[in-house]
PDB file of all heavy atoms in Angstrom:
ATOM      1  N   GLU C 157      63.241 102.261  93.103  1.00 82.00           N
ATOM      2  CA  GLU C 157      63.146 101.725  94.450  1.00 82.00           C
ATOM      3  C   GLU C 157      62.864 100.223  94.420  1.00 82.00           C
ATOM      4  O   GLU C 157      62.052  99.751  93.632  1.00 82.00           O
ATOM      5  CB  GLU C 157      62.030 102.447  95.220  1.00 82.00           C
ATOM      6  CG  GLU C 157      62.038 102.154  96.707  1.00 82.00           C
ATOM      7  CD  GLU C 157      61.029 103.011  97.467  1.00 82.00           C
ATOM      8  OE1 GLU C 157      60.427 103.918  96.848  1.00 82.00           O
ATOM      9  OE2 GLU C 157      60.861 102.767  98.667  1.00 82.00           O
ATOM     10  N   ASN C 158      63.577  99.473  95.248  1.00 83.00           N
ATOM     11  CA  ASN C 158      63.427  98.012  95.383  1.00 83.00           C
ATOM     12  C   ASN C 158      63.863  97.235  94.138  1.00 83.00           C
ATOM     13  O   ASN C 158      63.551  96.057  94.006  1.00 83.00           O
ATOM     14  CB  ASN C 158      61.978  97.629  95.741  1.00 83.00           C
ATOM     15  CG  ASN C 158      61.528  98.271  97.039  1.00 83.00           C
ATOM     16  OD1 ASN C 158      62.291  98.342  98.000  1.00 83.00           O
ATOM     17  ND2 ASN C 158      60.292  98.746  97.070  1.00 83.00           N
ATOM     18  N   GLN C 159      64.581  97.886  93.228  1.00 85.00           N
ATOM     19  CA  GLN C 159      65.051  97.235  92.003  1.00 85.00           C
ATOM     20  C   GLN C 159      66.484  96.736  92.117  1.00 85.00           C
ATOM     21  O   GLN C 159      66.906  95.883  91.343  1.00 85.00           O
ATOM     22  CB  GLN C 159      65.007  98.268  90.868  1.00 85.00           C
ATOM     23  CG  GLN C 159      64.255  97.876  89.642  1.00 85.00           C
ATOM     24  CD  GLN C 159      64.361  98.948  88.571  1.00 85.00           C
ATOM     25  OE1 GLN C 159      65.208  99.840  88.597  1.00 85.00           O
ATOM     26  NE2 GLN C 159      63.475  98.857  87.602  1.00 85.00           N
ATOM     27  N   SER C 160      67.221  97.277  93.055  1.00 85.00           N
ATOM     28  CA  SER C 160      68.669  97.109  93.077  1.00 85.00           C
ATOM     29  C   SER C 160      69.102  95.648  93.147  1.00 85.00           C
ATOM     30  O   SER C 160      69.948  95.204  92.362  1.00 85.00           O
ATOM     31  CB  SER C 160      69.270  97.887  94.252  1.00 85.00           C
ATOM     32  OG  SER C 160      70.673  97.802  94.235  1.00 85.00           O
ATOM     33  N   ASP C 161      68.540  94.880  94.071  1.00 86.00           N
ATOM     34  CA  ASP C 161      68.988  93.495  94.264  1.00 86.00           C
ATOM     35  C   ASP C 161      68.742  92.641  93.036  1.00 86.00           C
ATOM     36  O   ASP C 161      69.627  91.883  92.597  1.00 86.00           O
ATOM     37  CB  ASP C 161      68.298  92.872  95.484  1.00 86.00           C
ATOM     38  CG  ASP C 161      68.808  93.444  96.796  1.00 86.00           C
ATOM     39  OD1 ASP C 161      69.881  94.092  96.794  1.00 86.00           O
ATOM     40  OD2 ASP C 161      68.139  93.256  97.827  1.00 86.00           O
ATOM     41  N   SER C 162      67.552  92.741  92.458  1.00 90.00           N
ATOM     42  CA  SER C 162      67.238  91.910  91.293  1.00 90.00           C
ATOM     43  C   SER C 162      68.088  92.308  90.092  1.00 90.00           C
ATOM     44  O   SER C 162      68.550  91.441  89.331  1.00 90.00           O
ATOM     45  CB  SER C 162      65.750  91.994  90.956  1.00 90.00           C
ATOM     46  OG  SER C 162      65.348  93.338  90.771  1.00 90.00           O
ATOM     47  N   LEU C 163      68.340  93.606  89.934  1.00 89.00           N
ATOM     48  CA  LEU C 163      69.186  94.057  88.824  1.00 89.00           C
ATOM     49  C   LEU C 163      70.620  93.605  89.024  1.00 89.00           C
ATOM     50  O   LEU C 163      71.267  93.106  88.087  1.00 89.00           O
ATOM     51  CB  LEU C 163      69.117  95.583  88.713  1.00 89.00           C
ATOM     52  CG  LEU C 163      69.993  96.231  87.632  1.00 89.00           C
ATOM     53  CD1 LEU C 163      69.696  95.645  86.256  1.00 89.00           C
ATOM     54  CD2 LEU C 163      69.785  97.743  87.622  1.00 89.00           C
ATOM     55  N   ARG C 164      71.129  93.743  90.223  1.00 88.00           N
ATOM     56  CA  ARG C 164      72.505  93.308  90.501  1.00 88.00           C
ATOM     57  C   ARG C 164      72.667  91.810  90.273  1.00 88.00           C
ATOM     58  O   ARG C 164      73.684  91.356  89.729  1.00 88.00           O
ATOM     59  CB  ARG C 164      72.895  93.651  91.939  1.00 88.00           C
ATOM     60  CG  ARG C 164      73.113  95.125  92.195  1.00 88.00           C
ATOM     61  CD  ARG C 164      73.819  95.331  93.522  1.00 88.00           C
ATOM     62  NE  ARG C 164      75.207  94.924  93.436  1.00 88.00           N
ATOM     63  CZ  ARG C 164      75.986  94.667  94.496  1.00 88.00           C
ATOM     64  NH1 ARG C 164      75.488  94.767  95.713  1.00 88.00           N
ATOM     65  NH2 ARG C 164      77.244  94.328  94.335  1.00 88.00           N
ATOM     66  N   ASN C 165      71.675  91.034  90.687  1.00 88.00           N
ATOM     67  CA  ASN C 165      71.745  89.577  90.490  1.00 88.00           C
ATOM     68  C   ASN C 165      71.779  89.224  89.011  1.00 88.00           C
ATOM     69  O   ASN C 165      72.550  88.344  88.588  1.00 88.00           O
ATOM     70  CB  ASN C 165      70.553  88.902  91.173  1.00 88.00           C
ATOM     71  CG  ASN C 165      70.648  88.920  92.691  1.00 88.00           C
ATOM     72  OD1 ASN C 165      71.739  89.067  93.244  1.00 88.00           O
ATOM     73  ND2 ASN C 165      69.525  88.800  93.365  1.00 88.00           N
ATOM     74  N   LEU C 166      70.956  89.907  88.212  1.00 87.00           N
ATOM     75  CA  LEU C 166      70.942  89.627  86.777  1.00 87.00           C
ATOM     76  C   LEU C 166      72.262  90.023  86.127  1.00 87.00           C
ATOM     77  O   LEU C 166      72.807  89.275  85.305  1.00 87.00           O
ATOM     78  CB  LEU C 166      69.779  90.369  86.115  1.00 87.00           C
ATOM     79  CG  LEU C 166      69.627  90.143  84.606  1.00 87.00           C
ATOM     80  CD1 LEU C 166      69.488  88.652  84.285  1.00 87.00           C
ATOM     81  CD2 LEU C 166      68.428  90.918  84.064  1.00 87.00           C
TER      82      LEU C 166
END
Side-chain angles (χ1 to χ4, degrees):
E157 192 173 353
N158 301 319
Q159 234 183 16
S160 184
D161 288 344
S162 55
L163 178 56
R164 288 194 72 198
N165 289 339
L166 181 56

